[in-house]
Amino acid sequence: MARHLNKEAHAPLVVLALTMVLVALAGALPASAQQVTKIDAPEAHEKALRGEIVLVDIRTAEEWKETGVPASAHAITMHQKPQMFLSSLLSAAGGNADMPIAVICRVGSRSTALAGPLSKAGFPNVINVVEGVVGGPNGPGWKKRGLPLRTWTKDDPGPQLATQ
């Protein structure tokens, strides 16, 4: 009899699979290239508005519909083919893999798991927004802090960089 996993049980498996693929693509880098900076949601928003980082919401389309997308973030789901995901990240960074890329998820779990492998995959300046959009053990999150969100649609226009 086939077993179906619910969305919550399936998410860690997707993260693990994507992490394994990214690590395999990347090879080994020096320990210094594997350091991941951690920031909170307000700092991520301010830096994205100033163009100092590329903020990327890596959640699913269903999650974006549920809560909205941080106004200063690109909506690029990590739940796609790894090469497409990496290509989309590079495009969001204007073709510059050295541009600091901050990843944010729901509560900080996926962004924590993905930050190291992204560094190994050729993005040396990855930043983890540890509290996520809805908050978790590392902070209240984007939404509870009252930071601006935009409604997501399949034709999402990308970051809204106008100041609050």
Side-chain angles (χ1 to χ4, degrees), residues 13-92:
L13 297 175
V14 172
V15 171
L16 178 62
L18 182 58
T19 300
M20 290 170 46
V21 169
L22 289 173
V23 169
L25 288 172
L29 288 179
S32 62
Q34 298 177 24
Q35 298 298 321
V36 176
T37 303
K38 297 175 185 176
I39 61 175
D40 63 19
E43 184 178 2
H45 181 56
E46 289 303 316
K47 286 183 176 225
L49 290 176
R50 291 193 302 263
E52 296 173 13
I53 65 169
V54 174
L55 180 60
V56 179
D57 186 335
I58 60 171
R59 299 176 300 148
T60 65
E62 291 78 24
E63 290 173 294
W64 298 330
K65 289 176 193 174
E66 180 184 316
T67 63
V69 177
S72 53
H74 294 268
I76 304 173
T77 183
M78 67 177 279
H79 303 279
Q80 61 180 309
K81 292 181 180 179
Q83 289 294 354
M84 290 182 70
F85 177 64
L86 295 173
S87 176
S88 295
L89 286 180
L90 188 59
S91 179

